[in-house]
């Protein structure tokens, strides 16, 4: 009978040169079962009053332990470590005291010298007839009050005015004073007559900065560190007490260790472990010892082999070892079991288990395992059937996890290897990869490949393949049924595909093949090939049926991914066609933008940059809630509407209101036709920036607020009234006017940048603030930093981002005049414009500009109202604007031959590149633009 260890906290170890060494019994028993203690040179003595318990026996045992036993070695080692720690602590304290003393002396001498030098009356005393009479009492009083050894006041030649010893007054100061004469503070350590000291020299400066004298203060380091030195004996005493306590504690630990090891030396314990290990691992039954808490304490080699335990199994809970649930539950429960049969991997094990605490032992259990090979044949077929059912189940849940054709094909290949085949390849028609309908006459492309090794001579992924008619793949595609080739070495139809490559495949060891078409209804998407190399048996008819079932399930997922790819491509194409491809040219803003579609589908985020009259620029950002074609189409309609409304030069709040009415009408049309859900939830932000006034007017409808980066780098979110989302109606929209310095950056974005399922918008805005504070000055750098810090790897919503850095139209490129309500003033306007165009070097435009302004100013005088104002802007174009307080808008008409007037605006339209009217709260502006020569 093998006696097993009865301690529950010791892990096994490896025995050198043999199998795992396990812990030996931790009780040594005498001939009658009583515990014994051995001492060198004597017979074992019992611990029940026999000679082994006498005082000489104890002394001899302790001496033996100290000279060679484990407990004695531990005792000596621990005492030495504690002693070294105490010595190190004392040395460190001594060095720290010396360092602190010097540092304190430097600080105190500098502080006293500077305080005395800057004290009231010191500078005046230096210029008095007898500086010593004034300064000597003060210096002595300050020296005694501060505890320094001396305070010396001297002139710029170093002649002392004060000194603790009066006989040294009038003599030259000993020390370095040149840096102090230059206005600096000097601190140095010297060996004086009173010992090692630190002295500082500081200048006394006149109001104009000139050095008129010097003050030196010094103190010996022993006076500073005296307190610490006096505490050193106390520290040494505490260290001695700590050493004594540590030694006593170590002695107690060593005595307990001596009892635990029963006085055995290392050689005796090693020998006992070796005997125990040899017997334990020689048996052909698995042996497991489990503690009362369910942790594995010991497992012999046979148990490791039968249960396929990891190397670090000992010490871990049995439920964490990856065992079958029923086996793990049995071992963790500790219940009695007799020949219970458990299926572990491909083995049927008979398990016997008994508790270890029946006769007062430690809590836990011992289990033995036997490999019941005679039952293996009976369970083989059931195991095969179960494995195939498990594989089909895994195919149902593991294939098609994403709506990506290539990834779905890869999931099929990865599932089949190595559970069903050694290699698996998936070949799809090119049209399927793009979401289209496959054509039988076209070639296929290897989309996925998986194998037990990477060096198989099969076609690589991405290779375009056209199978010959005699190949198994071509026959499978034609018939729509799976085909098996049991022996590839004797399959001439397969060899005809590629004589050189097929020979390499056979030489590699691949000997059997099943091909199955990926078919959904009458549509064939491609073909799947399963290759076998390791098992000598060829694929059989049962495996052929399994391959058909497996491929049929995967075909549905691939077809779904194909359909999604088609719909997604259509939506992306529609969306990108509706977004701006190039930004228009303008001079008011430096603009950078980013648009990132969502990974899950196409959304309705959009943006635009729209040049307006008067060198102004409109920025618009919008978001249609939802994804898919409906959101993209609605986004296109809203973007087109904004283009049309902006052509009317409407204020932001009025444009948003018109957009709100449009969305309401769209919802009514959808509801009347029983179509898609309403567009409620669409948001928009519209901003107009004027480079002349450097003012930005903003209105928003349910959209996140803009961010503003000032030229100094500070970031803020301006207060812009938040109107309701588009389509709700009934509530007015308000605007906010933001004065912007030149170089400010306005950041507009959609909610996908600052909000997702894992964070709310407040947290997102704070993260955006931090990113904008770190961003560079250019709009491109700002876009890059924001996207790198804000976006997840796969954003769930579209993101539109615009960063616009403001420019200002220079004052020398702006000309304006107030025009009196008098027709004679038109000539003065023409003359003033002619002079300004000459200054700008635009003489070629003088004639046309005079005609344009003559007609516009004449109309304003005749049909408008005071005040009348003319402004000319020299930008990318020459812009002429005439302001008046009338809201009546002129219109272009064709005058008859007999009409005396009515040709003014026609003439303006012919001479100008663009012209129009915009309304302001004070009236209207008629403007005309001419291209620069």
């Amino acid at each position: 009978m093998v006696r097993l260890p009865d301690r529950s906290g010791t892990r096994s170890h490896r025995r050198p040169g043999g199998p795992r060494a396990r812990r030996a019994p931790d009780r040594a028993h005498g001939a009658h079962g009583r515990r014994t203690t051995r001492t060198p040179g004597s017979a074992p003595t019992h611990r029940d009053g026999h000679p082994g318990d006498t005082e000489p026996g104890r002394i001899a045992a302790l001496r033996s332990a100290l000279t060679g036993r484990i407990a004695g070695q531990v005792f000596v080692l621990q005492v030495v470590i504690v002693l070294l720690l105490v010595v190190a602590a004392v040395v460190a304290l001594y060095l720290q005291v010396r360092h602190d003393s010097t540092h304190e002396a430097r600080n105190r001498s500098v502080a006293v010298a500077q305080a005395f030098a800057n004290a009231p009356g010191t500078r005046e005393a230096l210029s008095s007839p007898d500086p010593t009479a004034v300064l000597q009492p003060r210096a002595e009083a300050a020296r005694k009050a501060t505890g320094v050894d001396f305070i010396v006041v001297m002139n710029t030649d170093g002649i002392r005015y004060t000194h603790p010893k009066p006989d040294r007054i009038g003599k030259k100061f000993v020390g370095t004073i040149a840096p102090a004469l230059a206005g600096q503070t000097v601190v140095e350590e010297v060996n004086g007559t009173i010992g090692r000291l630190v002295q500082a020299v500081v200048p006394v400066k006149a109001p104009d900065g000139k050095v008129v004298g010097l003050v030196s203060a010094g103190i010996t380091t022993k006076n500073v560190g005296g307190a610490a030195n006096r505490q050193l004996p106390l520290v040494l005493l505490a260290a001695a007490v700590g050493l004594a306590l540590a030694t006593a504690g170590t002695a107690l630990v060593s005595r307990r260790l001596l009892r635990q090891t029963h006085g055995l030396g290392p050689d005796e314990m090693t020998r006992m472990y070796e005997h125990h290990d040899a017997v334990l691992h020689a048996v052909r039954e698995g042996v497991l010892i489990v503690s009362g808490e369910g942790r594995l304490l010991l497992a012999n080699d046979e148990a490791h082999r039968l249960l396929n335990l990891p190397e670090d199994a000992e010490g871990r809970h049995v439920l964490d070892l990856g065992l079958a649930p029923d086996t793990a539950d049995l071992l963790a429960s500790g219940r009695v079991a007799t020949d219970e049969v458990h299926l572990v991997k491909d083995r049927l094990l008979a398990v016997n288990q008994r508790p270890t605490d029946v006769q007062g032992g430690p809590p836990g259990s011992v289990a033995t395992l036997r490999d019941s090979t005679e039952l293996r044949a009976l369970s083989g077929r059931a195991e095969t059937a179960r494995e195939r059912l498990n594989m089909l189940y895994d195919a149902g849940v593991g294939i098609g996890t994403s709506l990506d054709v290539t990834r779905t094909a890869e999931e099929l290949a990865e599932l089949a290897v190595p559970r069903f085949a050694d290699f698996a390849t998936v070949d799809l028609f090119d049209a399927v990869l793009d979401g289209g309908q496959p054509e039988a006459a076209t070639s296929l492309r290897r989309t996925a490949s998986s194998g037990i090794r990477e060096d198989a001579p099969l076609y690589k992924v991405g290779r375009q393949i056209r199978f010959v008619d005699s190949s198994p793949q071509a026959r499978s595609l034609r018939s729509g049924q799976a085909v098996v080739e049991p022996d590839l070495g004797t399959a001439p139809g397969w060899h005809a595909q590629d004589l050189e490559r097929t020979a390499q495949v056979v030489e590699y060891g691949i000997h059997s093949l099943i091909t199955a078409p990926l078919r959904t209804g009458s549509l064939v998407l491609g073909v799947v090939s399963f290759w076998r190399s390791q098992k000598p048996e060829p694929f059989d008819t049962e495996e052929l049926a399994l391959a058909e079932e497996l491929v049929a399930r995967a075909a549905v997922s691939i077809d779904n991914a194909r359909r999604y790819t088609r719909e997604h491509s259509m939506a992306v194409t529609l969306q990108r066609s509706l977004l701006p491809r190039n930004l228009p040219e303008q001079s008011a803003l430096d603009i950078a933008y980013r648009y990132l579609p969502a990974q899950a589908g196409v959304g309705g985020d959009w943006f635009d940059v729209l040049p307006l009259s008067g060198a102004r620029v409109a920025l618009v950002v919008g978001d249609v809630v939802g994804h898919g074609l409906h959101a993209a189409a609605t986004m296109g309609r809203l973007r087109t509407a904004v283009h049309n409304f902006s052509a009317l030069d409407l204020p932001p709040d009025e444009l948003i209101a018109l957009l709100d009415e449009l969305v309401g009408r769209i919802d009514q049309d959808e509801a009347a036709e029983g179509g898609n859900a309403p567009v409620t939830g669409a948001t928009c932000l519209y901003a107009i920036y004027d480079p002349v006034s450097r003012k930005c007017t903003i209105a928003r409808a349910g959209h996140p607020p803009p961010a503003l980066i000032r030229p100094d780098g500070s970031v803020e979110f301006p207060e812009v009234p938040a109107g309701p989302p588009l389509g709700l109606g009934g509530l007015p929209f308000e605007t906010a006017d933001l004065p912007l310095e030149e170089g400010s950056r306005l950041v507009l974005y959609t909610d996908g940048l600052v909000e997702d399922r894992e964070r709310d918008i407040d947290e997102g805005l704070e993260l955006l603030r931090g990113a904008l504070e770190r961003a560079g000055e250019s709009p491109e750098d700002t876009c890059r930093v924001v996207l790198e810090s804000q976006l997840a790897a796969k954003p769930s919503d579209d993101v539109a981002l615009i960063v616009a850095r403001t420019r200002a139209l220079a004052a020398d490129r702006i000309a304006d005049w107030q025009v009196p309500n008098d027709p004679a003033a038109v000539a003065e306007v023409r003359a003033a414009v002619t002079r300004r165009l000459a200054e700008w070097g635009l003489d070629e435009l003088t004639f046309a500009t005079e005609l344009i302004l003559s007609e516009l100013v004449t109309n304003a005088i005749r049909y408008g109202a005071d005040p009348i104002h003319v402004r000319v802007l020299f930008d990318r174009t020459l812009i002429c604007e005439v302001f008046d307080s009338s809201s009546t808008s002129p219109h272009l008409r064709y005058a008859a031959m007999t009409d005396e007037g009515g040709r003014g605006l026609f003439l303006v339209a012919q001479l100008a590149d663009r012209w129009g009217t915009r309304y302001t709260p004070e009236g209207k502006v008629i403007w005309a633009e001419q291209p620069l020569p």
Side-chain angles (χ1 to χ4, degrees):
M1 176 179 178
V2 179
R3 183 175 301 277
L4 300 176
D6 57 356
R7 298 291 180 184
S8 59
T10 306
R11 297 187 180 180
S12 61
H13 305 278
R14 284 196 176 273
R15 177 171 59 87
R20 297 177 185 83
R22 302 295 186 248
R23 55 186 300 274
D26 58 358
R27 291 191 177 97
H29 296 273
H32 302 288
R34 290 174 295 181
R35 189 175 301 173
T36 61
T37 304
R38 289 180 180 270
T39 57
S42 64
T45 57
H46 298 288
R47 304 180 60 188
D48 54 0
H50 290 274
D53 277 342
T54 61
E55 189 64 27
R58 293 184 183 137
I59 295 175
L62 181 59
R63 184 181 301 109
S64 174
L66 292 175
T67 55
R69 303 305 184 190
I70 294 177
Q73 296 172 5
V74 171
F75 174 79
V76 173
L77 179 61
Q78 290 182 344
V79 170
V80 170
I81 291 175
V82 172
L83 182 60
L84 290 176
L85 291 175
V86 170
V87 172
V90 173
V91 171
L93 177 62
Y94 175 74
L95 296 177
Q96 184 63 36
V97 166
R98 290 191 58 186
H99 174 269
D100 291 347
S101 298
T102 303
H103 186 69
E104 175 63 21
R106 294 170 67 91
N107 290 343
R108 190 184 298 182
S109 61
V110 171
V112 171
Q114 289 180 342
F116 195 88
N118 297 324
T122 301
R123 179 170 52 82
E124 292 78 2
L126 288 172
S127 59
S128 64
D130 189 1
T132 300
V134 178
L135 295 176
Q136 176 69 7
R138 296 183 183 179
E140 285 302 297
R143 178 181 65 82
K144 295 176 182 178
T146 57
V148 298
D149 290 310
F150 66 84
I151 296 178
V152 174
V153 183
M154 66 197 87
N155 61 13
T156 55
D157 295 327
I159 303 302
R160 300 188 184 101
Y161 288 147
T162 67
H163 197 279
K165 296 181 179 181
D167 59 338
R168 298 188 182 182
I169 296 175
K171 296 181 180 179
K172 191 172 183 60
F173 176 75
V174 179
T176 303
I177 64 173
L181 293 174
Q184 301 177 3
T185 298
V186 182
V187 182
E188 57 184 349
E189 297 182 24
V190 297
N191 290 318
T193 57
I194 58 175
R196 184 72 176 177
L197 59 84
V198 176
Q199 66 181 13
V201 182
V202 300
V204 179
K205 297 181 180 180
D208 58 355
K210 181 180 179 181
V211 177
V212 298
L214 304 174
V215 176
S216 175
I219 186 173
T220 57
T221 56
K222 69 176 182 178
N223 290 338
V224 177
N229 293 331
R230 289 190 294 273
Q231 294 174 359
L232 189 60
L234 181 60
V235 173
L236 294 175
L237 178 61
V241 172
L243 177 62
L245 293 176
T247 303
T250 302
L252 293 176
V253 172
S254 300
R255 183 176 180 184
R256 180 173 178 82
L257 183 60
L258 182 65
R259 289 199 303 269
Q260 294 289 340
T261 57
H262 305 291
L264 296 176
D267 293 339
E268 294 172 314
M269 295 188 69
T270 300
R271 195 161 50 247
M272 182 177 294
Y273 270 101
E274 290 175 348
H275 293 163
H276 159 264
D277 191 73
V279 174
L280 181 64
H281 297 287
V283 298
R284 297 309 303 166
E285 285 191 358
V287 178
L288 299 172
I289 299 180
V290 181
S291 70
E293 294 83 14
R295 295 189 178 277
L296 180 63
L297 301 180
L298 183 143
N300 66 351
D301 288 346
E302 184 68 6
H304 272 267
R305 185 183 69 84
L306 295 177
L307 297 178
N308 195 23
L309 296 176
E311 290 292 333
D312 59 345
E314 284 84 354
R316 295 170 56 183
H317 201 281
V318 294
L319 297 178
D320 299 333
L321 298 178
L323 302 175
D326 55 346
T327 306
D329 291 340
L330 172 62
L331 297 177
S333 66
R335 62 180 175 83
V336 175
T338 302
D339 288 335
E340 281 193 14
V341 178
H342 290 261
L343 179 62
V344 178
K345 302 296 182 183
D346 58 344
R347 299 183 179 91
L348 286 176
L349 303 181
V351 182
N352 291 273
Q353 183 167 270
R354 296 292 184 274
T356 58
D357 56 356
V358 176
Q359 298 180 356
S365 60
V366 176
T368 60
L369 313 171
R370 290 198 316 274
D371 190 357
S372 302
T373 54
E374 66 277 6
L375 300 178
R376 206 174 292 170
L378 298 177
S379 62
R381 294 181 63 85
E383 175 63 21
T384 301
R386 189 176 74 166
E387 174 62 25
R388 292 179 178 178
L389 288 175
N390 287 339
M391 186 167 61
L392 291 177
Y393 172 78
D394 293 342
V397 299
I399 299 177
T401 58
S402 66
L403 291 173
D404 182 81
V405 175
T406 301
R407 181 56 194 154
T408 305
E410 291 173 349
E411 290 171 345
L412 170 60
E414 292 168 359
L415 177 71
V417 177
R419 300 169 66 177
F420 179 68
D422 298 323
F423 300 91
T425 57
V426 181
D427 306 314
L428 300 177
F429 291 103
D430 284 333
V432 174
L433 297 173
D434 298 329
Q437 293 279 358
E439 299 178 6
T442 60
S443 60
L444 294 92
R445 188 173 300 276
R446 180 136 299 174
T447 307
S449 177
S450 181
I452 57 176
R453 294 171 59 184
E454 299 292 335
D455 57 347
L458 301 172
Y459 290 125
K460 301 300 181 182
V461 173
R463 172 74 177 268
Q464 198 169 21
I465 307 171
R466 185 179 292 275
F467 292 106
V468 299
D469 293 339
S470 62
S471 66
Q473 289 86 353
R475 286 184 283 142
S476 176
L477 290 172
R478 285 197 307 270
S479 64
Q481 303 294 325
V483 174
V484 61
E485 283 288 354
D487 187 2
L488 293 178
T490 59
W494 175 70
H495 281 281
Q497 174 68 36
D498 186 341
L499 294 177
E500 181 179 358
R501 185 175 294 274
T502 53
Q504 294 174 353
V505 171
V506 174
E507 183 180 357
Y508 185 79
I510 298 176
H511 60 84
S512 188
L513 166 67
I514 290 179
T515 64
L518 282 161
R519 187 182 63 182
T520 57
S522 61
L523 191 64
V524 179
L525 308 175
V527 64
V528 183
S529 302
F530 302 102
W531 314 79
R532 175 170 288 179
S533 63
Q534 286 195 329
K535 291 184 179 179
E537 305 86 7
F539 285 114
D540 55 25
T541 55
E542 292 184 359
E543 291 169 325
L544 179 66
L546 176 62
E548 287 182 325
E549 179 68 21
L550 181 63
V551 173
R553 297 192 180 196
V556 175
S557 298
I558 292 179
D559 187 52
N560 289 337
R562 178 190 68 85
R563 293 172 183 270
Y564 172 79
T565 301
R566 181 183 61 190
E567 298 292 335
H568 183 73
S569 299
M570 292 173 57
V572 169
T573 301
L574 173 62
Q575 183 187 40
R576 293 196 180 278
S577 66
L578 296 175
L579 289 173
R581 300 184 180 181
N582 296 302
L583 296 182
E585 295 182 356
Q586 46 81 33
S587 303
L589 298 170
D590 289 329
I591 295 177
Y593 67 93
R594 297 289 189 276
Y595 178 81
L596 300 179
Q599 296 293 326
V602 177
D605 291 13
W606 54 283
F607 65 93
D608 249 320
V609 178
L610 306 172
L612 302 178
S613 63
R616 299 171 304 138
V617 177
L619 300 176
V620 57
V621 176
D623 183 8
V624 177
V625 175
H627 296 87
L629 288 174
H630 178 63
T634 304
M635 175 267 289
R637 298 172 72 176
L638 296 181
R639 178 170 179 258
T640 302
V642 171
H643 271 262
N644 295 332
F645 294 152
S646 66
L648 301 176
D649 255 337
L650 298 175
D653 55 339
E654 295 183 18
L655 186 142
I656 293 290
L658 292 177
L659 206 61
D660 179 62
E661 294 179 7
L662 174 64
V663 172
R665 289 196 297 271
I666 293 175
D667 289 345
Q668 292 175 3
D669 295 341
E670 293 287 349
E673 297 177 3
N676 293 308
V679 191
T680 302
T683 65
C684 182
L685 184 147
Y686 189 81
I688 297 177
Y689 173 69
D690 187 349
V692 178
S693 63
R694 296 191 295 278
K695 182 178 70 174
C696 184
T697 305
I698 303 178
R700 62 187 177 115
H703 203 80
L708 178 60
I709 309 176
R710 297 290 184 183
D712 60 1
S714 61
V715 179
E716 61 182 87
F717 292 93
E719 289 293 335
V720 179
L726 299 175
L728 295 182
L731 295 175
F733 297 94
E734 302 179 38
T735 61
D737 292 331
L738 304 179
L740 302 181
E741 305 171 62
E742 185 174 10
S744 300
R745 280 168 287 167
L746 191 65
V747 182
L748 309 181
Y749 52 90
T750 55
D751 58 355
L753 183 69
V754 296
E755 190 175 13
D756 57 26
R757 296 186 182 92
E758 298 180 357
R759 66 186 180 198
D760 58 18
I761 189 170
D762 292 333
E763 181 182 356
L765 290 177
E766 287 304 315
L767 292 176
L768 176 60
R769 182 194 298 273
L772 295 177
E773 289 174 347
R774 298 191 304 271
E777 295 184 359
S778 70
E780 283 292 337
D781 288 343
T782 305
C783 287
R784 177 182 55 79
V785 171
V786 168
L787 294 185
E788 287 177 356
S789 60
Q790 290 288 106
L791 285 187
K794 294 183 178 181
S796 59
D797 194 6
D798 290 17
V799 174
L801 173 66
I802 299 179
V803 178
R805 183 170 59 188
T806 60
R807 296 175 179 172
L809 191 61
D812 59 355
R813 289 187 169 229
I814 303 172
D816 54 0
W817 302 272
Q818 292 291 338
V819 180
N821 194 354
D822 182 1
V826 176
E828 298 177 4
V829 171
R830 287 199 303 265
V833 169
T834 301
R835 290 192 298 271
R836 183 53 61 96
L837 292 180
E839 294 175 5
W840 289 342
L842 301 177
D843 298 297
E844 297 180 22
L845 300 179
T846 302
F847 177 73
T849 305
E850 286 182 350
L851 289 178
I852 291 173
L853 284 179
S854 295
E855 294 300 331
L856 295 182
V857 173
T858 300
N859 283 343
I861 294 174
R862 182 175 298 176
Y863 305 109
D866 288 336
I868 300 173
H869 181 71
V870 174
R871 186 172 71 175
V872 180
L873 305 178
F874 179 19
D875 192 35
R876 301 177 65 87
T877 60
L878 184 66
I879 305 169
C880 299
E881 298 178 331
V882 178
F883 300 76
D884 69 78
S885 58
S886 172
S887 60
T888 303
S889 175
H891 60 278
L892 179 67
R893 67 185 181 90
Y894 294 92
M897 295 294 294
T898 58
D899 291 343
E900 294 184 3
R903 298 176 180 84
L905 289 181
F906 180 79
L907 181 62
V908 171
Q910 296 299 313
L911 295 175
D913 190 39
R914 294 195 312 147
W915 75 280
T917 305
R918 71 173 182 269
Y919 294 94
T920 66
E922 296 80 17
K924 69 176 182 297
V925 181
I926 303 178
W927 56 270
E929 290 185 7
Q930 301 176 74
L932 299 179

